[in-house]
Amino acid sequence: MNSKEPDFEQLYFSIPRLWENDWNAAINNASGVEKSILIIQKRAADLLNQIEDGSVTFARLAWFNIWTRVFSILEGIFCALPKNSLYVLRILERASFEMTLQIQSIMAPVLRNYNRIEKTNNEQGASIASKNAEKETIKRLEAYAAYCIWKDYLFYDELVKPENLNAVWDARPAEQIYRDLDRLAAYQAIYGELNVEIDERELKKGRLRQQNEGQHMLHRLITWLDHPNLKPWHKKLKKGRFMTFFTLIGEERTSVKNTLYGFGLSFGYPVYSKGSMVMHGSSIDQFIHFGDNKVTPLFIASDNEITEKAKEVGSNCNQIIFLLYGLIRLIWP
């Protein structure tokens, strides 16, 4: 490992003091759906005030990853509302919906055990079962960390492959455009100024820099994946390059659809599916409005539809924040 890079156990979280913002004033000055989303966002910010120990573990890293995603989604709602952007809200809904399933799967051992405790009078047995469920939930948080780190590893592994480096830092395509005035004029008319480096020396430096940075990241990520807390998950991940998180943690429900069924939320699959179609661009119905005799691009929606969609995203985020709060006492005892 690079001597300048600390070991994982020496890392500390830099926690933004978001709870100190004047949330109450912002909430009092807001109305409608903006007010509702601000209330949820304040709950997310207040979670950070519960954390006193900034030392890093993989379970805590997973927690912060989920927290950052949910807070960013809430920020994204405020970007979508002024423009009535149906597209943005559909993407946020898809992201928040999938994240809800992930954190529910992480919390599943504790939630299932809680339901069992209500049906038993054996206090000692219940106490042992509770501790085992909590340990399993922490392991699932570590699995989520391993899953995300593994995906980062795969990205950098592709980035440093010679064929990909060559494609990025090859000057010939740009040079061919520069030498052909007609092609250059056409390019600039469509894309604007051709601002691509063609100096061989600079290109070699850039290629070497990308390669070194990529290799450095690969070394860091593989070191983390081989940490004792993540190594079992790493071994499992290597068996299936496209393994889902649900498969990794050993859930019988290995797909989103089956996971929804297991949680009694089968009715939510159309929402997830539509969001996926928006993200992948595999839909006409969600981008084009067909009237009686007119076909119109569909990129904004009515105020009521936007409000309802924002509320749905906020509701998903609220569930995630509630479960994040439940995880705090496990990983920051």
Side-chain angles (χ1 to χ4, degrees), residues 143-192:
Y144 177 73
Y147 180 76
C148 294
I149 293 169
W150 173 247
K151 291 295 184 181
D152 287 336
Y153 176 86
L154 294 180
F155 167 78
Y156 285 104
D157 186 49
E158 286 293 321
L159 190 71
V160 300
K161 286 183 177 178
E163 59 269 28
N164 293 331
L165 288 169
N166 291 339
V168 171
W169 298 100
D170 185 359
R172 285 172 295 179
E175 286 179 340
Q176 289 171 359
I177 295 174
Y178 265 121
R179 289 172 183 157
D180 188 327
L181 294 180
D182 290 336
R183 288 182 65 186
L184 180 60
Y187 180 96
Q188 292 176 338
I190 298 172
Y191 302 108

Side-chain angles (χ1 to χ4, degrees), residues 222-265:
I222 202 67
T223 300
W224 289 357
L225 286 167
D226 284 337
H227 187 281
N229 289 6
L230 299 193
K231 195 164 188 175
W233 303 116
H234 183 204
K235 286 182 178 179
K236 193 171 181 180
L237 284 163
K238 287 192 289 187
K239 294 178 181 178
R241 193 175 182 90
F242 301 107
M243 183 180 296
T244 69
F245 171 67
F246 307 110
T247 305
L248 176 63
I249 59 178
E251 282 286 320
E252 295 179 4
R253 304 176 291 272
T254 56
S255 68
V256 169
K257 187 174 184 178
N258 290 334
T259 300
L260 282 167
Y261 179 81
F263 285 132
L265 300 171

Side-chain angles (χ1 to χ4, degrees), residues 203-217:
L203 286 169
K204 286 181 180 178
K205 288 180 183 178
R207 187 186 190 283
L208 184 60
R209 182 170 59 251
Q210 178 176 321
Q211 182 178 354
N212 289 341
E213 290 174 356
Q215 292 291 354
H216 175 75
M217 285 300 301

Side-chain angles (χ1 to χ4, degrees), residues 90 277 281-290 295-298:
R90 281 174 170 169
M277 292 164 71
S282 55
S283 170
I284 286 179
D285 184 58
Q286 296 189 73
F287 294 104
I288 303 293
H289 174 69
F290 295 90
V295 178
T296 310
L298 182 61

Side-chain angles (χ1 to χ4, degrees), residues 32-81:
V33 68
E34 290 92 345
K35 189 184 192 81
S36 301
I37 300 303
L38 278 170
I39 291 171
I40 296 170
Q41 199 169 29
K42 179 181 183 300
R43 291 174 187 152
D46 287 342
L47 286 178
L48 300 184
N49 197 22
Q50 306 288 320
I51 299 168
E52 296 180 358
D53 179 6
S55 58
V56 177
T57 67
F58 287 110
R60 293 174 181 179
L61 188 64
W63 187 96
F64 261 107
N65 197 48
I66 296 170
W67 181 92
T68 303
R69 287 170 64 197
V70 74
F71 196 84
S72 298
I73 288 172
L74 290 166
E75 287 281 274
I77 295 174
F78 290 110
C79 296
L81 289 175

Side-chain angles (χ1 to χ4, degrees), residues 85-101:
S85 178
L86 185 60
Y87 178 72
V88 171
L89 286 174
R90 281 174 170 169
I91 291 176
L92 295 176
E93 184 180 36
R94 161 67 163 72
S96 62
F97 194 80
E98 184 171 23
M99 190 161 47
T100 303
L101 294 182

